[in-house]
């Protein structure tokens, strides 16, 4: 298996998908901008003057620019708000899920083995040892890396992973998570989630305008209802497409992580064995925590 080639291919695909995600956001901004301009032109004159006023509005580049900046500003502010919520660090995420931190001097043999494996993967990947957590109440086989940078990263595994995986399989799973830390997948995912929230805010604004204008009645109220409906639909369609692209980016990151796990451990059978056990286990990789 040429895992370096697989890594390079997956990274290229992920970059293209991220560019596509950004283009989708820009398309939403332009579409909302066009809707606002159409509504503005209709307010500017009566039915007979609509086409002329619309032409005048289209000819006003400053109005296009300001409208676009306002819409883009809403998305940016929504993105920044959500990103700040998700950037508290890997330990904060693990603690929110109810995970327990594993001290270096633990006497639990399974936790001790976990520490040893993480130290080995740290050396193999060149990534500093992250904070280590265990979800004691989770009996499925799962693990995740969280955090914004390598400095605040944390790796969390379930009790089921500790109990059901042998050392080689645990190495494969932990090597997979170290790849996410090394390649900055956590940071990319946080940014994509922030942009998705920004699109969701656009949908919420359209919904708010639609409901508020429905009470006013009249021609102007009807126009605002239609405008709000169109903006809401654009926001939610953009959100749906964004989630599809995010899922595709995530899949490519998983391909890189699988190949990196083989690179770090030099043992493709370890990760394979873990995946086989997850597939055969009734519990699978499901988490039951409310968070």
């Amino acid at each position: 298996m040429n895992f370096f080639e697989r890594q390079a291919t997956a990274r290229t695909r992920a970059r293209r998908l991220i560019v596509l995600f950004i283009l989708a956001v820009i398309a939403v901004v332009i579409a909302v901008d066009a809707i606002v301009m159409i509504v503005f032109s209709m307010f500017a004159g009566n039915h007979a003057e609509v086409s002329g006023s619309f032409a005048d509005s289209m000819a006003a580049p400053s109005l296009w620019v300001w409208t676009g900046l306002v819409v883009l500003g809403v998305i940016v502010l929504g993105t920044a708000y959500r990103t700040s919520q998700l950037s508290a660090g890997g330990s904060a995420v693990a603690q929110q899920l109810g995970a327990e931190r594993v001290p270096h001097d633990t006497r639990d043999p399974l936790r001790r083995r976990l520490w040893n494996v993480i130290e080995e993967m740290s050396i193999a990947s060149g990534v500093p040892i992250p904070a280590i957590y265990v979800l004691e109440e989770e009996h499925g086989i799962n693990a995740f890396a969280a955090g914004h940078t390598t400095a605040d990263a944390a790796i969390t595994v379930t009790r089921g992973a500790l109990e059901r995986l042998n050392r080689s399989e645990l190495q494969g799973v932990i090597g997979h998570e170290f790849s996410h830390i090394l390649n900055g997948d956590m940071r990319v995912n946080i940014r994509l989630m922030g942009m998705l929230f920004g699109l969701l805010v656009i949908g919420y604004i359209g919904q708010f305008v639609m409901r508020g204008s429905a009470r006013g009645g009249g021609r102007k109220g009807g126009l605002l209802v239609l405008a709000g409906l169109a903006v809401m639909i654009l926001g939610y369609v953009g959100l749906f497409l964004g989630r599809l692209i995010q899922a595709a980016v995530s899949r490519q990151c998983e391909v890189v992580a699988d190949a990196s796990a083989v690179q770090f451990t030099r043992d493709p059978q370890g990760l394979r064995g873990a995946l086989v056990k997850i597939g055969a286990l009734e519990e699978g990789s499901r988490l039951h925590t409310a968070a």
Side-chain angles (χ1 to χ4, degrees):
M1 174 184 179
N2 190 337
F3 42 72
F4 292 115
E5 182 179 346
R6 292 289 298 276
Q7 288 174 336
T9 301
R11 287 192 182 102
T12 300
R13 290 174 179 171
R15 292 191 193 101
R16 290 174 180 171
L17 288 166
I18 291 172
V19 171
L20 182 61
F21 189 102
I22 294 172
L23 291 176
V25 172
I26 294 173
V28 170
V29 172
I30 294 173
V32 173
D33 200 357
I35 291 171
V36 172
M37 296 299 295
I38 292 172
V39 172
F40 175 82
S41 70
M42 290 181 173
F43 275 130
N46 57 36
H47 183 72
E49 298 171 340
V50 165
S51 60
S53 61
F54 180 64
D56 294 338
S57 301
M58 294 286 285
S62 61
L63 191 57
W64 271 97
V65 171
W66 281 108
T67 303
L69 287 176
V70 169
V71 177
L72 185 61
V74 169
I75 295 178
V76 169
L77 288 175
T79 300
Y81 170 75
R82 187 60 173 167
T83 301
S84 66
Q85 285 186 319
L86 297 170
S87 300
S91 292
V93 174
Q95 290 166 7
Q96 288 174 9
L97 291 173
E100 298 179 12
R101 186 157 187 171
V102 181
H104 189 269
D105 59 352
T106 179
R107 295 185 179 181
D108 182 332
L110 293 179
R111 289 185 170 198
R112 182 71 260 164
R113 185 185 66 173
L114 174 63
W115 250 105
N116 293 340
V117 167
I118 286 181
E119 287 178 329
E120 293 165 2
M121 292 301 99
S122 173
I123 294 172
S125 64
V127 174
I129 297 175
I132 305 171
Y133 288 83
V134 174
L135 287 165
E136 289 290 349
E137 303 301 320
E138 298 291 345
H139 300 290
I141 301 174
N142 210 329
F144 66 86
H148 199 62
T149 65
T150 57
D152 64 8
I155 287 181
T156 303
V157 301
T158 61
R159 171 53 67 170
L162 293 182
E163 293 177 347
R164 299 176 188 275
L165 299 181
N166 61 37
R167 199 179 197 284
S168 175
E169 293 162 349
L170 185 62
Q171 272 189 327
V173 170
I174 296 301
H176 177 102
E177 300 308 327
F178 263 89
S179 172
H180 288 312
I181 299 174
L182 177 64
N183 292 300
D185 295 339
M186 303 174 298
R187 184 169 57 253
V188 170
N189 197 38
I190 286 173
R191 289 174 179 172
L192 291 179
M193 290 173 69
M195 294 174 73
L196 286 174
F197 185 77
L199 292 173
L200 181 62
V201 171
I202 293 294
Y204 282 157
I205 291 175
Q207 189 174 359
F208 176 78
V209 171
M210 183 180 66
R211 290 179 176 177
S213 303
R215 302 171 185 173
R219 181 173 176 269
K220 291 184 177 181
L223 286 175
L224 287 176
V225 168
L226 290 176
L229 176 62
V231 171
M232 182 184 72
I233 291 173
L234 280 173
Y236 286 129
V237 168
L239 178 65
F240 174 74
L241 294 176
R243 283 177 173 167
L244 289 181
I245 297 172
Q246 183 196 26
V249 172
S250 179
R251 281 194 295 272
Q252 296 307 316
C253 291
E254 294 302 315
V255 171
V256 174
D258 286 344
S260 296
V262 176
Q263 176 189 348
F264 299 152
T265 63
R266 300 292 172 172
D267 178 17
Q269 298 305 315
L271 183 60
R272 178 184 180 277
L275 294 173
V276 169
K277 284 186 177 179
I278 292 172
L281 184 65
E282 181 179 357
E283 196 77 10
S285 60
R286 289 189 296 275
L287 297 179
H288 296 287
T289 173

